[in-house]
Amino acid sequence: MNTDFLIIGSGIAGLTYALKVANDFPEKTITIITKTTSDETNTKYAQGGIAGVMNFNEDSFSKHIQDTFIAGDGLCNQSIIEIVVKEGVDRIKEIIQWGAQFDKDPFGDFKLGKEGGHSESRILHHKDVTGKEMERTLLEAIKNCSNIQLVNHCFVLDLITQHHTGYLVTKSTPDIECYGVYVLNLLTKKIEKILSKITLLATGGNGQVYRTTTNPSIATGDGVAMVYRAKGRIENMEFIQFHPTALYETSIKGHSFLITEAVRGDGGILRNHEGLPFMEKYDSRKDLAPRDIVARAIDNEMKINGNEYVFLDCRHMDIKNFKEHFPNIYNKCISIGIDVSKDMIPVAPAAHYSCGGIKTDEWGRTSIKNLYAAGECASTGLHGANRLASNSLLEAMVFAHRSYLDSASQINNIELKKNIPDWNAEGTTAPGEMILITQSLKELKLLMSDYVGIVRNKERLHRAMKRLDLLHEETETLYHKTEVSPQLCELRNMITVAYLIVKSAEFRKESRGLHFNTDFPGKDAILQNTIL
Ligand code: FAD
Ligand code: SIN
């Protein structure tokens, strides 16, 4: 297959970009690839909302900029923050025009929520299912674009670069170029090549590298791993954000259910097993301190008391308002026997968001020519060492737009590459035992959660790396002799992502934002990103 614009991922970043190029270039072909169904994305699960300055009486761009900067603990790129905060408002207005509904009060003004680290109420939301509403809007809108082809159940294996035409490509090769991708079509079980003039990676996050995560099963860091294999630049992978309040359940199927930070924004209070509020011991902003601080505080309380969770107390909150703002959470709690008006909700931190990723510039350009990245897989410089709540959907839309502007100015100068060889599956045979994959996956998740979680140290990172070496060696051997499958490729990608997280964490000899190392509890005077 040949296409002008190729988009990997159908979350907020991929779909926003697709809509824009489709409307601007009705004569060009746009192909969106997704590895399961089109709406199975991190985007669909977003709860709290999207941050944006909509009420200029109390709020201002400078306050949102300042809050983002403070949360990022010194590592944010100031000019990128300004771009996102200022341009973000137009992107929000755009998605509203496309049909997204955000909650309003009886006077027709947006009901603006508050979350950790925000000095003002500025979170637009659709009850507690904001992502679902945004995903629905975008999927509806692309149906009207006849030049977009959306291909589900198609697993992207690797980027095609000069490497596939016989050239030696290393990290120092100048002008590495992307010519398209190899994919495993899960319906035909065939490996195909898709050649493209421009490719956008919008592959989302990597929470599945950890044992407990709020991310659905698609979040395996495939885009980051592909770029790393293609010798592109990856940045700040040590900054994995753990959401403080995932619902604690003894048996979790796939991923943890989130209890949005907006619940604390509306008055929810964290309590330990004695029923005592504890956040005041850790930060003057108490339950609404930035996420890294709240997650570390909960981790500490759990370790002191030997418990696997703490409680979120909503019993004092107005139940009518609660049900109206958080119907999804209310119903989920009821389904497991928790009535939030009488019972406290057991919660524990879970891997939630990757602040680092594929390094991009202010136009979403990666270090590989004709390859852009937007959304959670990208590292734009916005989040620094810790993302401010509800800035992710905003960033994804702003950088999808900017990637569109830049790629629109390039598309007519790019030719499709010819003579790309087919995928080489020589010497591989049908997979024998799935246990070789599933057991390694369990080991990977365990070691990342136990050694590379909220609190780290030299010894834990060293142990993690040794175990990763073994998993890497075994999985590469299996990969080279086995026909590819999504399970095997995801395991391989997750091992690469885990390696990048551990390596970056080892490089950072300080504690900053989401990276807390007990051997280096202070901050280094020199501010720098970790680039691999
Ligand atoms: P995603 O929406 O994750 O989409 C990734 C896409 O890539 C999918 O279509 C997937 O199939 C595809 N893909 C991946 N790998 C491959 C491959 N190898 N081949 C083919 N396709 C592939 N952020 C906020 O700002 N506000 C919130 O309230 C909020 N709440 C959240 C709540 C939860 C529970 C979670 C998990 C996240 C939340 N976030 C929130 C974060 C935010 O939702 C995500 O960062 C954002 O939606 C990511 O969008 P994306 O377009 O980058 O990727
Ligand atoms: C939440 O609703 O608490 C998640 C918000 C986010 O991840 O930005």
Side-chain angles (χ1 to χ4, degrees):
M1 186 200 277
N2 295 343
T3 187
D4 292 310
F5 295 95
L6 174 64
I7 297 147
I8 323 292
S10 58
I12 190 165
L15 295 178
T16 304
Y17 176 89
L19 261 181
K20 285 173 178 268
V21 285
N23 286 325
D24 207 5
F25 295 100
E27 78 294 357
K28 300 217 185 283
T29 51
I30 294 114
T31 307
I32 308 172
I33 303 285
T34 165
K35 65 177 167 177
T36 61
T37 49
S38 46
D39 73 342
E40 191 51 9
T41 58
N42 269 9
T43 301
K44 183 174 84 173
Y45 295 91
Q47 291 191 356
I50 179 163
V53 180
M54 306 303 279
N55 166 7
F56 284 90
N57 292 332
E58 273 125 55
D59 205 359
S60 64
F61 287 144
S62 59
K63 285 187 186 172
H64 190 182
I65 289 167
Q66 181 72 354
D67 292 347
T68 305
F69 194 77
I70 292 170
D73 209 3
L75 264 199
C76 305
N77 178 329
Q78 180 78 24
S79 65
I80 295 289
I81 305 183
E82 289 187 17
I83 286 173
V84 174
V85 167
K86 292 180 180 167
E87 295 181 12
V89 173
D90 286 339
R91 302 287 77 78
I92 293 175
K93 289 182 182 157
E94 212 161 51
I95 198 165
I96 292 172
Q97 264 175 18
W98 292 337
Q101 305 274 338
F102 295 113
D103 294 353
K104 290 187 171 168
D105 64 21
F107 306 104
D109 295 325
F110 289 115
K111 282 185 182 169
L112 298 172
K114 197 166 183 188
E115 292 180 2
H118 287 274
S119 56
E120 294 292 341
S121 297
R122 62 168 74 97
I123 318 292
L124 290 106
H125 52 88
H126 180 98
K127 303 192 186 297
D128 55 355
V129 285
T130 309
K132 199 170 169 190
E133 170 64 8
M134 295 178 92
E135 184 73 19
R136 177 200 67 74
T137 304
L138 293 167
L139 284 173
E140 277 296 315
I142 65 155
K143 281 189 194 150
N144 298 324
C145 303
S146 56
N147 53 339
I148 296 183
Q149 189 189 6
L150 174 58
V151 188
N152 289 335
H153 303 292
C154 194
F155 189 98
V156 177
L157 299 168
D158 257 324
L159 299 170
I160 303 174
T161 66
Q162 291 96 320
H163 166 76
H164 298 94
T165 62
Y167 287 89
L168 177 70
V169 175
T170 68
K171 283 254 175 247
S172 39
T173 303
D175 289 338
I176 305 174
E177 269 183 68
C178 176
Y179 307 133
V181 296
Y182 290 111
V183 299
L184 171 61
N185 183 328
L186 299 170
L187 301 178
T188 62
K189 308 259 187 282
K190 293 222 162 65
I191 298 177
E192 295 158 10
K193 59 182 183 236
I194 304 181
L195 302 184
S196 54
K197 292 181 181 169
I198 285 182
T199 304
L200 172 84
L201 284 171
T203 47
N206 57 35
Q208 285 290 328
V209 167
Y210 287 87
R211 187 183 45 205
T212 46
T213 175
T214 61
N215 294 187
S217 61
I218 55 108
T220 53
D222 299 352
V224 168
M226 282 188 257
V227 169
Y228 187 69
R229 279 198 291 276
K231 314 290 181 213
R233 295 288 164 195
I234 308 293
E235 182 179 70
N236 285 354
M237 290 298 289
E238 66 274 37
F239 298 120
I240 298 293
Q241 183 170 73
F242 287 78
H243 196 292
T245 57
L247 178 65
Y248 175 82
E249 293 181 272
T250 39
S251 85
I252 301 166
K253 291 178 201 80
H255 59 112
S256 302
F257 183 87
L258 185 73
I259 307 292
T260 174
E261 200 154 304
V263 171
R264 276 176 282 133
D266 277 11
I269 297 170
L270 289 162
R271 294 185 188 275
N272 61 20
H273 283 249
E274 282 82 55
L276 301 172
F278 56 83
M279 273 312 300
E280 59 214 41
K281 282 194 293 187
Y282 297 91
D283 195 281
S284 58
R285 291 160 290 184
K286 300 185 201 168
D287 298 88
L288 285 178
R291 247 173 228 178
D292 54 337
I293 296 169
V294 182
R296 246 186 337 266
I298 295 178
D299 188 64
N300 196 43
E301 290 291 317
M302 293 188 331
K303 293 221 165 86
I304 290 171
N305 298 312
N307 302 122
E308 291 188 348
Y309 55 89
V310 294
F311 292 103
L312 182 62
D313 188 2
C314 307
R315 293 172 299 179
H316 54 288
M317 291 165 66
D318 181 298
I319 190 64
K320 187 171 161 283
N321 288 347
F322 190 99
K323 279 187 186 171
E324 206 171 283
H325 190 171
F326 309 113
N328 188 34
I329 293 175
Y330 180 81
N331 290 333
K332 170 70 188 180
C333 288
I334 286 288
S335 78
I336 55 168
I338 297 169
D339 175 348
V340 297
S341 65
K342 299 190 190 95
D343 311 311
M344 294 199 286
I345 311 173
V347 291
H352 181 64
Y353 185 85
S354 174
C355 294
I358 303 158
K359 184 171 166 44
T360 62
D361 67 7
E362 72 272 32
W363 297 105
R365 293 180 290 212
T366 71
S367 59
I368 298 179
K369 220 171 147 195
N370 303 333
L371 181 71
Y372 294 75
E376 191 167 340
C377 68
S379 174
T380 64
L382 175 70
H383 309 306
N386 176 36
R387 174 177 67 99
L388 183 67
S390 289
N391 263 357
S392 168
L393 297 169
L394 191 71
E395 180 200 39
M397 291 205 299
V398 168
F399 278 94
H401 177 77
R402 292 191 139 243
S403 300
Y404 142 71
L405 289 179
D406 196 77
S407 48
S409 71
Q410 299 300 321
I411 187 78
N412 289 327
N413 308 323
I414 305 169
E415 295 284 321
L416 280 178
K417 186 79 177 170
K418 299 201 176 71
N419 302 325
I420 299 290
D422 287 338
W423 179 262
N424 182 1
E426 215 178 281
T428 61
T429 55
E433 301 177 313
M434 277 304 282
I435 189 76
L436 298 180
I437 296 172
T438 53
Q439 178 58 27
S440 296
L441 186 56
K442 271 189 221 155
E443 286 174 29
L444 176 74
K445 284 170 180 273
L446 265 185
L447 83 87
M448 288 303 288
S449 290
D450 292 342
Y451 291 146
V452 201
I454 295 173
V455 176
R456 300 152 182 189
N457 64 35
K458 277 197 283 191
E459 181 66 25
R460 291 185 195 176
L461 294 176
H462 179 67
R463 282 183 170 216
M465 195 54 110
K466 270 173 60 183
R467 282 151 179 79
L468 277 175
D469 273 347
L470 180 62
L471 286 173
H472 172 73
E473 187 200 308
E474 289 172 354
T475 307
E476 286 304 295
T477 307
L478 190 63
Y479 177 79
H480 288 293
K481 63 180 190 191
T482 315
E483 284 170 11
V484 292
S485 63
Q487 294 87 341
L488 177 55
C489 292
E490 284 181 345
L491 171 65
R492 187 171 181 244
N493 289 338
M494 282 192 273
I495 291 171
T496 300
V497 166
Y499 162 80
L500 292 169
I501 296 170
V502 177
K503 193 84 203 151
S504 307
E506 284 185 331
F507 274 139
R508 189 164 291 284
K509 305 273 187 275
E510 62 166 349
S511 289
R512 183 181 294 282
L514 297 159
H515 173 75
F516 188 77
N517 186 328
T518 51
D519 290 317
F520 304 102
K523 285 197 196 347
D524 198 329
I526 306 164
L527 283 171
Q528 51 191 339
N529 292 325
T530 319
I531 302 177
L532 294 173

